[in-house]
Amino acid sequence: MEKEKSRKEEAALEIEKLVQIHATLKSLANTLSAEISAGLREPNLGFGLKLDPKSFLGFSTQIQETEGKALLVLKSLQRSSESYEDRSLTLRESIWSPLRTKFLQYTEEVVGSACEQVLATYPDGHLRPQAGNNAIRAVIAASSFRQLQDVRLYIMSEWSRAIHLEAIEEMADLTGLISFSISTSFILEFCRNLQLAGKFAEDIAHNFPPSQ
C-alpha cells in the first residue's frame, strides 16, 4: 500500500512540474507568435545589425512545436496517472514508471541548466544584443541546448535496453510498455524541438557584435 501511495505521489509531482513547464512555454510561444511579424519588419537589431528572418522564424516555430510536445507529454502522464486508480494497472506500470521518471528528471536537469545560461545572457528576456553580452557569450549560452542530443541518446539507449529485458520475460507488462512508449516518444520529440530552437538561437547570436 505504501509503495502504491509513493507511486501516486511521484506521478502527481511529475504532472505538477509539467503543468508549470507547459504554462511557461505556452506563454513564450504566444508572445513570439504575436510579436514575430512586427519584429521582422524592423530593419535591424540595433548596432547596425540586420535581422535574419530565417533564424527568428525558425526559433519561433520550434518553440511553438516544443510547447505542443510538452502538452502531449503532460496529457500522456495524466492518462497514465488515471490508471493508478486500478490496482492491476498500478502493478503492471511498476516496471516502467521509475524509468520514465528518470527520463523526465534528466531532461529537466539539462533544460534547466541551459535556461539558466540563456537567462544570464539575456537578463531582460529579449533575444538581442545587450549590455554585457556579445556573440561569443550568446553562442555559448544557446549551444548549451546541444546537450539535449545526449539526453535523447540516453533515453533511446535505456528504452531499448528495458524493452529487451522485458522481451526476455515474454512482454508480461504490455499495457505498461505501451503507456511508457507513448510518453517517452513525446519526451524525445520535446527534446528534439527544443534542441532545434537552441540551434536557431545560435544562428541569431552569430550575428551579434564581437564585443559590447
Side-chain angles (χ1 to χ4, degrees), residues 143-162:
S143 67
S144 60
F145 286 97
R146 293 187 182 191
Q147 296 177 61
L148 286 168
Q149 176 70 18
D150 294 333
V151 175
R152 292 164 61 200
L153 290 173
Y154 168 79
I155 289 175
M156 288 187 287
S157 175
E158 290 297 299
W159 187 4
S160 176
R161 185 180 69 83

Side-chain angles (χ1 to χ4, degrees), residues 159-177:
W159 187 4
S160 176
R161 185 180 69 83
I163 290 177
H164 174 70
L165 291 175
E166 182 68 1
I168 294 175
E169 299 178 7
E170 300 179 353
M171 285 293 177
D173 187 15
L174 187 57
T175 300
L177 172 61

Side-chain angles (χ1 to χ4, degrees), residues 7-41:
R7 287 282 164 74
K8 289 181 180 180
E9 292 174 346
E10 190 175 76
L13 287 174
E14 289 176 359
I15 292 172
E16 183 180 347
K17 287 181 180 179
L18 278 171
V19 168
Q20 295 172 356
I21 291 171
H22 176 253
T24 300
L25 279 170
K26 187 174 180 62
S27 176
L28 176 58
N30 289 341
T31 299
L32 284 170
S33 180
E35 296 183 357
I36 191 69
S37 295
L40 290 176
R41 288 196 292 269

Side-chain angles (χ1 to χ4, degrees), residues 19 35 60 87 107 116 142 172 178 193 201 207:
V19 168
E35 296 183 357
S60 178
R87 179 177 173 80
T107 301
E116 286 179 3
I178 292 173
N193 288 127
N207 292 318

Side-chain angles (χ1 to χ4, degrees), residues 113-125 130-133 137 141:
S113 175
C115 287
E116 286 179 3
Q117 292 189 55
V118 171
L119 286 172
T121 305
Y122 304 100
D124 69 355
Q130 48 193 277
N133 82 10
R137 184 179 176 186

